[in-house]
Amino acid sequence: MRKYFIEALLIFLSILGSFFIESYRIKQNSIENKNNLLSELIEVINEDLKQIENIISLQKESIDACNRIIKNNTGGKTMSEETIAENHLKAQKAIISFYCQKGIYSQLLLSGSLELISFRSLRLKLIYVYDHLNERKLGIDRATDDYASRSSEMLNNNIILLTERDQLNKNYIYSDSKLSSVIISDSYYNSPEVLGYYNSLLNTSTNYIDLLKLFKIEFEEIIDLIDQEINL
């Protein structure tokens, strides 16, 4: 009887050990997958940081151009039509948006890897940036697009620019348009709507830069936390 009991116990322990080993293997595979996704996320974030720097530069161009046009239209009106047109094109860069790449974050959610992250601060930052902060950005993008759409008829009554894409940089998403001709009406210089349009673009660019700087700070902190997470 004792012999059978020992044999049964050994079989039970063997089965239990197998379950433990398999469970440990699955957990380690999940942790490895989580770390691989986080490593890929660092690469994506670095790409987004470059995109942010490019867009901040374009937004600053827009601010400078808006200020020049506002100063001209409220002052001596000394700018040539060509100079106004060039500044108008730069001013419109305010509507260029930052597109946050969420693919890897979505994989972290769907695979359950987000819950495996040891650092609670990292989990919270990922949720904050890719859900809350990104939704805030999308709200600004939609408002900017709606305003640009509503303003298009007013602008067409005051200034018309014919342009062509810069052929040297035609594959670059932020490449400049090349001005071919411009028509500016007399009302352009004294229109409150035109002045309000440039002032709105100026404010939009200023606020967008502040938001992008916040993205940059959060992204850099996420990279630091990921390095700590992977090297636990």
Side-chain angles (χ1 to χ4, degrees):
M1 186 70 179
R2 180 183 177 85
K3 176 183 177 183
Y4 294 130
F5 174 77
I6 293 174
E7 288 178 353
L9 181 61
L10 289 174
I11 291 171
F12 172 76
L13 290 175
S14 175
I15 294 172
L16 185 63
S18 297
F19 278 126
F20 174 79
I21 292 171
E22 180 63 13
S23 176
Y24 178 79
R25 185 187 68 80
I26 292 173
K27 182 178 180 180
Q28 290 303 112
N29 286 342
S30 297
I31 291 173
E32 182 179 355
N33 181 59
K34 178 258 298 181
N35 287 341
N36 288 337
L37 287 173
L38 289 176
S39 295
E40 291 178 31
L41 184 60
I42 288 179
E43 296 178 13
V44 170
I45 288 175
N46 281 325
E47 292 175 2
D48 281 345
L49 285 171
K50 291 178 183 178
Q51 185 189 168
I52 285 172
E53 289 299 326
N54 286 332
I55 296 177
I56 286 177
S57 177
L58 295 175
Q59 297 290 340
K60 287 180 177 179
E61 278 188 52
S62 176
I63 290 172
D64 291 342
C66 287
N67 280 325
R68 284 192 291 268
I69 292 176
I70 290 172
K71 182 179 179 181
N72 178 74
N73 288 15
T74 57
K77 301 177 177 62
T78 57
M79 275 188 184
S80 67
E81 288 193 346
E82 183 178 354
T83 303
I84 289 173
E86 290 171 352
N87 279 282
H88 179 78
L89 285 175
K90 291 179 180 178
Q92 289 186 313
K93 290 179 181 180
I95 64 175
I96 294 176
S97 301
F98 162 61
Y99 292 98
C100 183
Q101 301 181 73
K102 291 186 63 175
I104 301 299
Y105 173 69
S106 297
Q107 289 185 52
L108 285 167
L109 286 176
L110 292 173
S111 65
S113 297
L114 187 67
E115 298 303 318
L116 295 175
I117 293 175
S118 301
F119 287 100
R120 181 173 180 270
S121 55
L122 176 56
R123 292 199 306 272
L124 293 177
K125 275 193 177 294
L126 289 171
I127 294 170
Y128 169 69
V129 169
Y130 288 101
D131 289 337
H132 173 72
L133 198 59
N134 193 52
E135 280 301 313
R136 179 178 161 192
K137 181 199 74 70
L138 291 174
I140 295 175
D141 291 342
R142 286 189 289 268
T144 302
D145 290 342
D146 289 345
Y147 180 76
S149 179
R150 292 195 306 271
S151 302
S152 60
E153 184 178 353
M154 177 275 296
L155 285 173
N156 289 336
N157 290 331
N158 288 279
I159 180 170
I160 296 175
L161 274 62
L162 300 180
T163 62
E164 56 187 36
R165 192 74 177 272
D166 183 353
Q167 293 301 305
L168 293 176
N169 297 297
K170 62 182 179 180
N171 292 322
Y172 178 48
I173 190 170
Y174 306 127
S175 61
D176 288 330
S177 295
K178 185 178 179 181
L179 182 67
S180 55
S181 62
V182 56
I183 302 172
I184 299 179
S185 69
D186 292 337
S187 62
Y188 170 84
Y189 299 95
N190 299 308
S191 168
E193 289 82 7
V194 170
L195 196 63
Y197 172 76
Y198 291 118
N199 188 62
S200 178
L201 289 185
L202 193 157
N203 290 332
T204 296
S205 289
T206 301
N207 292 332
Y208 210 68
I209 286 173
D210 289 341
L211 181 63
L212 292 180
K213 286 180 177 178
L214 183 55
F215 263 103
K216 183 179 178 181
I217 290 170
E218 295 294 335
F219 276 148
E220 289 172 347
E221 290 180 358
I222 285 173
I223 288 176
D224 289 340
L225 287 169
I226 288 176
D227 284 335
Q228 295 178 48
E229 174 75 20
I230 291 175
N231 295 308
L232 275 177

